[in-house]
Amino acid sequence: MSRSSHIPVHIHARVRAAVVAALVAPLAACSSSASSGGPAAEATPSPDDRPVTVSVTPTGKQIPAGEPVRVTVSGGRLTSVTVTDAEGRRLAGKAAADGRSWASDRKAAPGTTYEVTAATRSTGGTVRTARAGFTTAAADKVNKVDWRPGTGTTVGVAQPISLVFDHPVRNRAEVEKQLKVTTSNDTEGSWGWMRDWSGRDRVDWRPRTYWKPGTEVRLKAELNGTDSGAGGGWFVRDYTTAFTVGDRQIVEVDLDRHQLTLVRNGETVRRIPVSGGTPGGDKRSWRGTAVLMAKEGTINMNSETVGLADAYDKMVDHSMRLTWSGMYAHAAPWNARHLGRANRSSGCIGMSDADAAWFYGQVRPGDPFEITGKDTKGVVAPGNGFGAWNLSWAEWKRMSALR
């Protein structure tokens, strides 16, 4: 229990220390202790100025994570509440309009010790401070995130924000609520959940239409303390990334005319003869909008890795990945006689060494490849690379867990 502030200072200090020690033990309802110094703290209260009672939840040690911190008072008002972990990071929160309660915006994270400091003012004007502490149990399983694009990058106008999770996410709505996207021009967009080509759960954020060049984008994934749900484990950290959108570059690929056209900011830069996937079977190319995922340079391409038996095994220059299933744009000098004339590749978009070297230097991850052609094996799926643009805006919004 608190003492009125006219108690001698040496007794006052012992009482305050005892109260603080009691509050840092397994936490229950707690009363305020007198604050040090200050005329308000030393003023003699009126006879009806009863001590403020402060209660904090959760309480104890090794308690389950995933709940907000709540502070309530009776006999007065809260003037401030601070909740910090052992590393000094704060849990922000808001007080009720009547000043009698406070709740953190975020939930307590696993394996964390928190200290709560609550400043109060009694009905008679006496100012005091109460402190309390609690510790959450460690996560029995941790979920992690792989995300694109990386911080500080400049991307093409079709680049989505993409998060792939190590473990299943059952509490998709709860996770999505913690993902905050801000842009320099209030770009409209939405999250969509899918199964990644790897088989893992994934969520992407794409704009309604292609990004405007120059847009600055920031993601704050405030996931620490969020439960993935059954089989997924806890998130134990936050994630951030920030990037900028570059020029409006669109790569138009006409498989029927065997031609690739690079259009930059509405102007045609260059047309390149190409050869796409062989018609009539598994070697056909995909159609629709694919997004340049990465520029991988010189890599080994082995047909067995994409289910085409022993069709090829060779080093390929200027390789630009378009799908997880193995469709690239790249140099294909072995196919020179078909470039601009016929589709005779194993599914990729091939061009000459010279054209591929030039083109490789022009494009960037996030540039859309808008592919048309009569004889293809279908439209690029959302989870096969960045195929979200092959869905209408209405279809895409329905993939949000918060629809």
Side-chain angles (χ1 to χ4, degrees), residues 172-193:
R172 291 184 170 184
E174 289 301 310
V175 168
E176 192 174 326
K177 288 176 184 177
Q178 303 307 119
L179 307 178
K180 315 295 183 184
V181 176
T182 56
T183 70
S184 58
N185 53 18
D186 297 323
T187 301
E188 181 183 6
S190 178
W191 291 100
W193 290 85

Side-chain angles (χ1 to χ4, degrees), residues 120-323:
T120 63
R121 183 183 296 274
S122 69
T123 54
T126 302
V127 175
R128 305 197 189 279
T129 300
R131 293 182 176 85
F134 64 92
T135 301
T136 55
D140 56 357
K141 188 175 187 178
V142 173
N143 206 347
K144 297 180 181 179
V145 178
D146 179 29
W147 70 96
R148 295 186 185 207
T151 296
T153 55
T154 298
V155 302
V157 295
Q159 176 69 54
I161 302 171
S162 185
L163 307 179
V164 180
F165 303 93
D166 280 3
H167 303 303
V169 179
R170 308 298 184 205
N171 294 339
R172 291 184 170 184
E174 289 301 310
V175 168
E176 192 174 326
K177 288 176 184 177
Q178 303 307 119
L179 307 178
K180 315 295 183 184
V181 176
T182 56
T183 70
S184 58
N185 53 18
D186 297 323
T187 301
E188 181 183 6
S190 178
W191 291 100
W193 290 85
M194 69 198 74
R195 182 64 58 89
D196 185 63
W197 190 259
S198 65
R200 296 182 293 172
D201 283 345
R202 171 177 148 192
V203 64
D204 286 6
W205 194 95
R206 55 152 274 203
R208 181 170 186 164
T209 58
Y210 290 158
W211 296 103
K212 291 181 180 179
T215 302
E216 296 177 357
V217 187
R218 180 175 178 82
L219 166 70
K220 291 181 66 177
E222 297 180 330
L223 293 171
N224 192 15
T226 304
D227 182 8
S228 300
W234 291 87
F235 295 100
V236 297
R237 59 163 290 192
D238 295 336
Y239 300 84
T240 62
T241 191
F243 58 93
T244 303
V245 180
D247 288 335
R248 182 181 174 88
Q249 291 197 142
I250 298 174
V251 182
E252 300 172 352
V253 182
D254 188 335
L255 295 176
D256 294 335
R257 297 178 63 190
H258 321 296
Q259 180 176 271
L260 176 155
T261 304
L262 176 62
V263 181
R264 181 181 298 141
N265 298 324
E267 299 292 331
T268 297
V269 179
R270 187 166 174 174
R271 291 187 174 91
I272 295 174
V274 298
S275 181
T278 304
D282 292 338
K283 294 183 180 181
R284 291 175 295 173
S285 299
W286 294 102
R287 71 174 184 275
T289 300
V291 177
L292 180 55
M293 301 176 66
K295 297 163 67 173
E296 298 181 5
T298 300
I299 61 173
N300 176 258
M301 291 191 180
N302 188 316
S303 58
E304 293 182 356
T305 64
V306 292
L308 291 178
D310 59 352
Y312 57 86
D313 183 2
K314 60 183 67 179
M315 300 303 294
V316 180
D317 295 330
H318 309 300
S319 298
M320 296 160 273
R321 180 183 283 275
L322 299 177
T323 70

Side-chain angles (χ1 to χ4, degrees), residues 66-101:
E67 295 296 331
V69 180
R70 302 183 188 279
V71 182
T72 59
V73 298
S74 59
R77 295 171 58 90
L78 289 163
T79 57
S80 70
V81 176
T82 303
V83 181
T84 56
D85 65 17
E87 297 182 11
R89 295 173 298 207
R90 292 191 176 189
L91 279 184
K94 296 182 180 65
D98 62 5
R100 297 182 183 276
S101 64

